[in-house]
Amino acid sequence: MTKISKAACIGGGVIGGGWIARFLLAGIDVDVFDPHPEASRIVGEVIANAEKAYAMLTGAPLPPRGRLRFCQTLVEAVTDADWIQESVPERLDLKRGVLTEIDAAARPDALIGSSTSGLLPTDLQRDMRHPERLFVAHPYNPVYLLPLVEIVGGEKTSAATIRATMERLPPIGMKGVHIAKEIEAFVGDRLLEALWREALWLIHDDICTVETLDDVIRYSFGLRWAQMGLFQTYRIAGGEAGMRHFLAQFGPCLAWPWTKLTDVVDLDEALIEKIGRQSDEQAAGLSIRELERIRDENLVGILQALKGGDGGKGWGAGKLLKDFERTLWAEGGGEAMPADPSRPLRLVETKVSPAWVDYNGHMTEHRYLQVFGDTSDALLRLVGVDLAYVEAGHSYYTVESHIRHLGEAKLGQAIHSACQILSADEKRLHVFHTLHDTATGELIATAEQMLLHVDSKAGKAVAAPAAVLDRVKAIAASHAELALPEGAGRHVGQRR
Ligand SMILES: NC(=O)C1=CN([C@@H]2O[C@H](COP(=O)(O)OP(=O)(O)OC[C@H]3O[C@@H](n4cnc5c(N)ncnc54)[C@H](O)[C@@H]3O)[C@@H](O)[C@H]2O)C=CC1
Ligand SMILES: C[N+](C)(C)CC(=O)CC(=O)[O-]
């Protein structure tokens, strides 16, 4: 996998800010140029949203956050970057000027992406000295959560640039799709434009309100699209005969007056006012930042659900997330020893994600086991049992767990876990985990677990090697000085 080592973002608005957060959270240093007087506040708010979302999205070890620097000039920002992302407003003259300036100042091997929603790369690269390294990298908002990037080359873009670009996206958790022929608005915005155009007509003609229109999408095909797109969804809609039957049955409708797609609605003041008013009513007082938070929590829940799709193998964007996490585990495997190993080890920091909350409005029981399981995994990485160790044929298996629920964890609540080793020998590792509210330190739950070191191919318990045992025993020796935690050794129904 080839990685971006230093990024530059030119323009730090909605999309530039999203790119900045995506790069930083993937551990990449970013230099930013945006003349807007409040650029650093705006970018800071996007990064804060992204950090909140990632804390809910994944328990995998993210790399240390990249360094963010705001530069006084474009030249300063791009000089030593190997990926430069332009995200200035959608005007051909402005973008051409900015890209030409980037081209003059950038390293010869730098890749230069434009976030344009629909301008042709051939038009963008017209005045560049090295047009072969310019491509469109069209992302979707919010860039830090939605993984897709449409990669489109112009007439002068080299095949090597496209290859290099596609290789650099998986390490930042993104999926590049190469659009083979350049066309205005590429693929995604062509589809969105068609829907948007039709939607504007439906409001203009008083067929429905903006809220009804959004309900029609989000309670029906919007849910389908997130997981199967259009063609695969319609294949299923064709019944057992599949796509061919679907085309035969619904093909004739295409000639009926079901759309007004070719007509352009007049966005006059009256229509703008009507949409604006209905949109305000729909928002019911929620600010843009509040809506962004709700959107992000929902997206995290959807991505996590898709991660468990297809019998746990992961599906679509969820499969991509699963693969990304695998890389993070492989790379971040070497957990850093907490500052004071003589205390219970603080190992997992997370937030209660929407997908974790049940009908009682709090974290559901199996998610406790997930957080405690993640805590055991973090301990194991700390003692050298990382992905490579497991793939080489040995691991620890959990053979017994006892969880006590002492408090409640609510949606979005920041929580952390700590681990005390109660005892350890060649094969056994006996641990006591606690789960706390991060804001108050209050104890929410405990878990006592017994793990056995195994030869996973032979399927039997075997002694752990000295390298692992030495580390386990060093922690166990300092934890032996601690008092036995309250609740250790309890079983269900026991009298206090
Ligand atoms: N907003 C969206 O949903 C999406 C937008 N895009 C594309 O991303 C690009 C940026 O759009 P947004 O972020 O929405 O716009 P925006 O208006 O939120 O941000 C543009 C930023 O560029 C800055 N800027 C203006 N001139 C500049 C210059 N000469 N040098 C550096 N910075 C400069 C502005 O100060 C502003 O912060 C556009 O090409 C747009 O089509 C792509 C995907 C989705
Ligand atoms: C409205 N838009 C054309 C700027 C939208 C996009 O380009 C992609 C998105 O995030 O919807």
Side-chain angles (χ1 to χ4, degrees):
M1 259 195 318
T2 320
K3 293 188 172 179
I4 300 168
S5 51
K6 167 94 185 291
C9 288
I10 306 305
V14 173
I15 290 305
W19 276 110
I20 294 166
R22 173 69 79 169
F23 290 134
L24 289 176
L25 293 177
I28 298 165
D29 292 344
V30 186
D31 281 351
V32 179
F33 172 67
D34 188 321
H36 193 290
E38 294 200 64
S40 86
R41 177 189 61 78
I42 294 167
V43 167
E45 288 179 16
V46 179
I47 295 170
N49 273 356
E51 285 187 320
K52 278 190 208 135
Y54 275 46
M56 292 188 285
L57 180 67
T58 181
L62 293 170
R65 197 180 116 169
R67 180 192 48 72
L68 173 65
R69 186 170 69 118
F70 282 87
C71 300
Q72 294 306 312
T73 63
L74 177 149
V75 173
E76 195 190 334
V78 305
T79 308
D80 55 353
D82 57 341
W83 181 299
I84 300 159
Q85 187 68 28
E86 167 276 306
S87 309
V88 302
E90 189 78 348
R91 288 196 344 250
L92 181 58
D93 58 336
L94 173 67
K95 282 193 187 281
R96 255 191 201 144
V98 165
L99 288 166
T100 308
E101 232 189 300
I102 293 173
D103 182 43
R107 276 167 34 177
D109 61 339
L111 296 166
I112 304 173
S114 169
S115 298
T116 179
S117 297
L119 299 172
L120 294 177
T122 293
D123 290 338
L124 294 173
Q125 67 195 171
R126 191 193 67 183
D127 301 335
M128 291 172 70
R129 275 188 311 153
H130 294 291
E132 69 285 350
R133 58 191 172 150
L134 181 278
F135 54 93
V136 166
H138 176 240
Y140 286 76
N141 186 36
V143 182
Y144 50 83
L145 277 180
L146 296 191
L148 190 84
V149 193
E150 288 171 285
I151 300 296
V152 195
E155 281 166 14
K156 295 181 183 157
T157 310
S158 71
T161 293
I162 299 294
R163 265 196 312 277
T165 303
M166 295 290 284
E167 275 173 22
R168 282 160 179 76
L169 293 169
I172 58 171
M174 297 190 96
K175 179 180 172 69
V177 288
H178 178 214
I179 309 298
K181 272 192 189 173
E182 68 176 322
I183 180 175
E184 288 88 350
F186 327 123
V187 174
D189 277 342
R190 289 229 146 203
L191 296 170
L192 287 175
E193 170 90 355
L195 191 68
W196 180 230
R197 199 179 273 244
E198 197 63 42
L200 291 175
W201 275 119
L202 291 166
I203 306 301
H204 176 272
D205 295 346
D206 290 321
I207 309 296
C208 64
T209 63
V210 298
E211 181 159 11
T212 302
L213 190 137
D214 281 352
D215 282 351
V216 168
I217 295 174
R218 68 200 180 120
Y219 287 90
S220 65
F221 53 84
L223 289 170
R224 291 195 309 226
W225 281 352
Q227 47 84 49
M228 276 195 186
L230 188 59
F231 280 94
Q232 209 158 28
T233 295
Y234 281 172
R235 178 183 178 82
I236 298 173
E240 287 179 9
M243 182 54 93
R244 286 173 183 78
H245 175 62
F246 182 85
L247 289 170
Q249 182 169 209
F250 297 106
C253 314
L254 296 172
W256 303 344
W258 276 19
T259 72
K260 291 175 86 165
L261 273 183
T262 49
D263 301 341
V264 179
V265 71
D266 182 8
L267 270 179
D268 58 17
E269 267 185 39
L271 183 55
I272 290 175
E273 180 45 33
K274 180 169 158 182
I275 293 174
R277 186 176 27 80
Q278 292 185 8
S279 175
D280 291 346
E281 279 164 22
Q282 183 189 28
L286 291 170
S287 69
I288 295 293
R289 289 279 174 253
E290 284 166 324
L291 287 169
E292 280 175 345
R293 181 187 52 73
I294 293 168
R295 174 202 64 191
D296 286 1
E297 283 177 7
N298 291 338
L299 288 173
V300 164
I302 292 167
L303 286 167
Q304 285 178 338
L306 291 174
K307 203 173 87 173
D310 192 19
K313 288 192 285 230
W315 181 264
K319 168 95 172 52
L320 187 82
L321 174 60
K322 204 176 171 80
D323 293 345
F324 180 53
E325 287 184 333
R326 202 180 149 70
T327 315
L328 291 175
W329 285 122
E331 291 179 350
E335 204 92 1
M337 180 64 84
D340 182 2
S342 68
R343 310 283 317 144
L345 308 172
R346 187 163 164 157
L347 292 175
V348 170
E349 308 276 344
T350 187
K351 280 196 174 169
V352 180
S353 141
W356 296 7
V357 174
D358 65 14
Y359 50 83
N360 290 317
H362 56 205
M363 187 157 102
T364 199
E365 32 191 345
H366 68 280
R367 298 296 181 180
Y368 284 84
L369 183 56
Q370 177 179 321
V371 178
F372 287 129
D374 289 347
T375 308
S376 293
D377 288 347
L379 173 70
L380 293 178
R381 288 192 303 280
L382 202 60
V383 298
V385 180
D386 56 14
L387 206 61
Y389 185 91
V390 171
E391 283 176 352
H394 288 87
S395 188
Y396 275 90
Y397 288 177
T398 307
V399 291
E400 194 171 338
S401 293
H402 178 211
I403 295 178
R404 293 185 310 150
H405 299 276
L406 307 171
E408 284 184 278
K410 296 274 169 84
L411 176 64
Q413 188 174 336
I415 51 179
H416 69 267
S417 68
C419 160
Q420 180 173 342
I421 296 185
L422 297 182
S423 67
D425 64 17
E426 280 69 18
K427 293 182 187 167
R428 286 176 300 185
L429 179 55
H430 185 184
V431 293
F432 191 86
H433 300 321
T434 51
L435 184 71
H436 303 263
D437 176 280
T438 298
T440 62
E442 181 203 339
L443 185 63
I444 300 171
T446 69
E448 187 170 349
Q449 294 191 310
M450 179 65 80
L451 290 86
L452 278 186
H453 187 266
V454 294
D455 176 332
S456 37
K457 290 200 186 87
K460 61 173 189 180
V462 295
V468 170
L469 277 182
D470 288 350
R471 291 189 218 174
V472 169
K473 288 192 169 161
I475 302 171
S478 21
H479 285 188
E481 307 292 318
L482 300 170
L484 193 67
E486 190 281 317
R490 252 180 70 81
H491 59 75
V492 176
Q494 200 170 42
R495 281 221 189 110
R496 285 180 187 264

Short mmCIF file of all heavy atoms in Angstrom, two decimals, residues 74-103:
data_model
loop_
_atom_site.label_atom_id
_atom_site.label_comp_id
_atom_site.label_asym_id
_atom_site.label_seq_id
_atom_site.Cartn_x
_atom_site.Cartn_y
_atom_site.Cartn_z
N LEU A 74 -0.42 30.15 -0.51
CA LEU A 74 -0.65 28.85 -1.18
C LEU A 74 0.69 28.14 -1.40
O LEU A 74 0.82 26.93 -1.16
CB LEU A 74 -1.37 29.11 -2.50
CG LEU A 74 -1.67 27.93 -3.40
CD1 LEU A 74 -2.95 28.17 -4.20
CD2 LEU A 74 -0.54 27.59 -4.35
N VAL A 75 1.69 28.93 -1.79
CA VAL A 75 3.01 28.35 -2.11
C VAL A 75 3.57 27.64 -0.88
O VAL A 75 4.03 26.49 -0.96
CB VAL A 75 3.97 29.46 -2.59
CG1 VAL A 75 5.39 28.94 -2.77
CG2 VAL A 75 3.46 30.05 -3.91
N GLU A 76 3.47 28.32 0.28
CA GLU A 76 3.98 27.72 1.52
C GLU A 76 3.28 26.39 1.80
O GLU A 76 3.89 25.41 2.23
CB GLU A 76 3.69 28.72 2.65
CG GLU A 76 4.44 28.48 3.94
CD GLU A 76 3.87 29.38 5.05
OE1 GLU A 76 3.31 30.46 4.72
OE2 GLU A 76 3.97 28.98 6.19
N ALA A 77 1.96 26.34 1.53
CA ALA A 77 1.19 25.13 1.86
C ALA A 77 1.56 23.95 0.98
O ALA A 77 1.62 22.81 1.45
CB ALA A 77 -0.30 25.43 1.75
N VAL A 78 1.81 24.22 -0.30
CA VAL A 78 1.95 23.07 -1.22
C VAL A 78 3.39 22.59 -1.40
O VAL A 78 3.62 21.49 -1.90
CB VAL A 78 1.35 23.36 -2.62
CG1 VAL A 78 -0.09 23.81 -2.50
CG2 VAL A 78 2.16 24.38 -3.40
N THR A 79 4.36 23.41 -0.97
CA THR A 79 5.76 23.16 -1.34
C THR A 79 6.22 21.73 -1.15
O THR A 79 6.81 21.15 -2.05
CB THR A 79 6.69 24.11 -0.54
OG1 THR A 79 6.18 25.42 -0.73
CG2 THR A 79 8.11 24.02 -1.03
N ASP A 80 5.99 21.14 0.03
CA ASP A 80 6.54 19.80 0.22
C ASP A 80 5.46 18.72 0.37
O ASP A 80 5.71 17.66 0.94
CB ASP A 80 7.51 19.76 1.40
CG ASP A 80 6.85 20.27 2.66
OD1 ASP A 80 5.72 20.76 2.56
OD2 ASP A 80 7.47 20.18 3.74
N ALA A 81 4.27 18.99 -0.18
CA ALA A 81 3.19 18.00 -0.08
C ALA A 81 3.27 17.01 -1.23
O ALA A 81 3.68 17.35 -2.33
CB ALA A 81 1.84 18.71 -0.11
N ASP A 82 2.87 15.76 -0.95
CA ASP A 82 2.82 14.79 -2.06
C ASP A 82 1.39 14.54 -2.54
O ASP A 82 1.17 13.85 -3.53
CB ASP A 82 3.55 13.48 -1.74
CG ASP A 82 3.03 12.79 -0.51
OD1 ASP A 82 2.36 13.45 0.30
OD2 ASP A 82 3.29 11.59 -0.35
N TRP A 83 0.38 15.06 -1.81
CA TRP A 83 -1.02 15.07 -2.31
C TRP A 83 -1.57 16.45 -2.02
O TRP A 83 -1.59 16.90 -0.86
CB TRP A 83 -1.87 14.00 -1.61
CG TRP A 83 -3.30 13.95 -2.12
CD1 TRP A 83 -4.22 14.95 -2.07
CD2 TRP A 83 -3.97 12.85 -2.74
NE1 TRP A 83 -5.41 14.56 -2.62
CE2 TRP A 83 -5.29 13.26 -3.05
CE3 TRP A 83 -3.58 11.55 -3.09
CZ2 TRP A 83 -6.23 12.43 -3.65
CZ3 TRP A 83 -4.53 10.72 -3.70
CH2 TRP A 83 -5.82 11.15 -3.97
N ILE A 84 -2.00 17.13 -3.08
CA ILE A 84 -2.57 18.47 -2.90
C ILE A 84 -4.03 18.41 -3.34
O ILE A 84 -4.33 17.94 -4.44
CB ILE A 84 -1.78 19.50 -3.75
CG1 ILE A 84 -0.31 19.50 -3.28
CG2 ILE A 84 -2.40 20.89 -3.62
CD1 ILE A 84 0.66 20.05 -4.29
N GLN A 85 -4.92 18.84 -2.45
CA GLN A 85 -6.35 18.77 -2.76
C GLN A 85 -6.91 20.17 -2.84
O GLN A 85 -6.88 20.92 -1.87
CB GLN A 85 -7.07 17.95 -1.69
CG GLN A 85 -8.52 17.67 -2.02
CD GLN A 85 -8.72 16.73 -3.21
OE1 GLN A 85 -7.87 15.88 -3.49
NE2 GLN A 85 -9.81 16.88 -3.94
N GLU A 86 -7.38 20.52 -4.04
CA GLU A 86 -7.99 21.85 -4.24
C GLU A 86 -9.49 21.74 -3.97
O GLU A 86 -10.16 20.88 -4.55
CB GLU A 86 -7.68 22.30 -5.68
CG GLU A 86 -8.47 23.49 -6.16
CD GLU A 86 -9.84 23.10 -6.70
OE1 GLU A 86 -9.92 22.22 -7.60
OE2 GLU A 86 -10.84 23.66 -6.21
N SER A 87 -10.00 22.62 -3.08
CA SER A 87 -11.45 22.62 -2.77
C SER A 87 -11.95 24.06 -2.68
O SER A 87 -12.55 24.47 -1.69
CB SER A 87 -11.73 21.90 -1.45
OG SER A 87 -11.13 20.64 -1.41
N VAL A 88 -11.66 24.85 -3.72
CA VAL A 88 -12.13 26.24 -3.72
C VAL A 88 -13.48 26.27 -4.44
O VAL A 88 -13.89 25.28 -5.05
CB VAL A 88 -11.09 27.20 -4.38
CG1 VAL A 88 -9.75 27.11 -3.65
CG2 VAL A 88 -10.92 26.94 -5.86
N PRO A 89 -14.21 27.41 -4.38
CA PRO A 89 -15.56 27.44 -4.97
C PRO A 89 -15.61 27.02 -6.44
O PRO A 89 -14.62 27.14 -7.19
CB PRO A 89 -15.97 28.91 -4.78
CG PRO A 89 -15.24 29.33 -3.55
CD PRO A 89 -13.90 28.66 -3.64
N GLU A 90 -16.79 26.55 -6.82
CA GLU A 90 -16.99 25.90 -8.12
C GLU A 90 -17.07 26.93 -9.26
O GLU A 90 -18.15 27.17 -9.83
CB GLU A 90 -18.29 25.06 -8.03
CG GLU A 90 -18.57 24.14 -9.18
CD GLU A 90 -17.74 22.86 -9.15
OE1 GLU A 90 -16.78 22.77 -8.37
OE2 GLU A 90 -18.07 21.97 -9.94
N ARG A 91 -15.91 27.55 -9.57
CA ARG A 91 -15.87 28.48 -10.72
C ARG A 91 -14.64 28.13 -11.52
O ARG A 91 -13.51 28.08 -10.99
CB ARG A 91 -15.77 29.92 -10.22
CG ARG A 91 -17.05 30.43 -9.61
CD ARG A 91 -17.06 31.96 -9.48
NE ARG A 91 -15.77 32.59 -9.61
CZ ARG A 91 -15.11 33.18 -8.60
NH1 ARG A 91 -15.63 33.16 -7.37
NH2 ARG A 91 -13.97 33.77 -8.81
N LEU A 92 -14.83 27.90 -12.82
CA LEU A 92 -13.73 27.42 -13.66
C LEU A 92 -12.54 28.38 -13.63
O LEU A 92 -11.39 27.96 -13.46
CB LEU A 92 -14.21 27.20 -15.10
CG LEU A 92 -13.18 26.67 -16.08
CD1 LEU A 92 -12.60 25.34 -15.62
CD2 LEU A 92 -13.75 26.55 -17.49
N ASP A 93 -12.80 29.70 -13.75
CA ASP A 93 -11.68 30.65 -13.79
C ASP A 93 -10.88 30.62 -12.49
O ASP A 93 -9.65 30.57 -12.48
CB ASP A 93 -12.19 32.07 -14.08
CG ASP A 93 -13.21 32.54 -13.04
OD1 ASP A 93 -13.85 31.67 -12.41
OD2 ASP A 93 -13.35 33.77 -12.85
N LEU A 94 -11.60 30.57 -11.36
CA LEU A 94 -10.93 30.56 -10.06
C LEU A 94 -10.11 29.27 -9.90
O LEU A 94 -8.93 29.31 -9.52
CB LEU A 94 -11.98 30.66 -8.94
CG LEU A 94 -11.45 30.51 -7.52
CD1 LEU A 94 -10.55 31.68 -7.15
CD2 LEU A 94 -12.61 30.43 -6.52
N LYS A 95 -10.73 28.16 -10.21
CA LYS A 95 -10.03 26.88 -10.04
C LYS A 95 -8.80 26.81 -10.95
O LYS A 95 -7.73 26.36 -10.53
CB LYS A 95 -10.98 25.71 -10.33
CG LYS A 95 -11.94 25.43 -9.16
CD LYS A 95 -12.63 24.10 -9.34
CE LYS A 95 -13.71 23.86 -8.29
NZ LYS A 95 -13.20 23.42 -6.99
N ARG A 96 -8.97 27.24 -12.20
CA ARG A 96 -7.83 27.22 -13.14
C ARG A 96 -6.66 28.02 -12.58
O ARG A 96 -5.52 27.58 -12.59
CB ARG A 96 -8.24 27.83 -14.47
CG ARG A 96 -8.45 26.80 -15.53
CD ARG A 96 -8.58 27.52 -16.86
NE ARG A 96 -9.25 26.68 -17.80
CZ ARG A 96 -10.09 27.11 -18.72
NH1 ARG A 96 -10.41 28.39 -18.81
NH2 ARG A 96 -10.63 26.27 -19.57
N GLY A 97 -6.98 29.22 -12.06
CA GLY A 97 -5.93 30.09 -11.50
C GLY A 97 -5.23 29.41 -10.33
O GLY A 97 -4.00 29.37 -10.25
N VAL A 98 -6.03 28.84 -9.42
CA VAL A 98 -5.48 28.20 -8.22
C VAL A 98 -4.64 26.98 -8.62
O VAL A 98 -3.52 26.78 -8.12
CB VAL A 98 -6.63 27.81 -7.25
CG1 VAL A 98 -6.15 26.84 -6.19
CG2 VAL A 98 -7.21 29.06 -6.61
N LEU A 99 -5.15 26.19 -9.55
CA LEU A 99 -4.41 24.98 -9.96
C LEU A 99 -3.11 25.32 -10.66
O LEU A 99 -2.09 24.63 -10.50
CB LEU A 99 -5.30 24.10 -10.85
CG LEU A 99 -6.44 23.40 -10.09
CD1 LEU A 99 -7.47 22.81 -11.05
CD2 LEU A 99 -5.87 22.29 -9.19
N THR A 100 -3.11 26.42 -11.43
CA THR A 100 -1.89 26.83 -12.11
C THR A 100 -0.85 27.28 -11.08
O THR A 100 0.34 26.98 -11.20
CB THR A 100 -2.22 27.97 -13.11
OG1 THR A 100 -3.28 27.52 -13.93
CG2 THR A 100 -1.03 28.30 -13.99
N GLU A 101 -1.33 27.96 -10.03
CA GLU A 101 -0.41 28.40 -8.96
C GLU A 101 0.15 27.18 -8.21
O GLU A 101 1.34 27.11 -7.90
CB GLU A 101 -1.21 29.26 -7.97
CG GLU A 101 -0.58 30.60 -7.66
CD GLU A 101 -1.32 31.27 -6.51
OE1 GLU A 101 -2.54 31.53 -6.66
OE2 GLU A 101 -0.68 31.53 -5.48
N ILE A 102 -0.72 26.21 -7.97
CA ILE A 102 -0.27 24.98 -7.28
C ILE A 102 0.79 24.29 -8.15
O ILE A 102 1.86 23.89 -7.68
CB ILE A 102 -1.45 24.01 -7.05
CG1 ILE A 102 -2.45 24.60 -6.05
CG2 ILE A 102 -0.95 22.64 -6.57
CD1 ILE A 102 -3.74 23.78 -5.88
N ASP A 103 0.49 24.18 -9.42
CA ASP A 103 1.37 23.50 -10.38
C ASP A 103 2.77 24.11 -10.37
O ASP A 103 3.78 23.41 -10.42
CB ASP A 103 0.71 23.64 -11.76
CG ASP A 103 1.46 22.94 -12.87
OD1 ASP A 103 1.91 21.80 -12.63
OD2 ASP A 103 1.58 23.53 -13.96
#
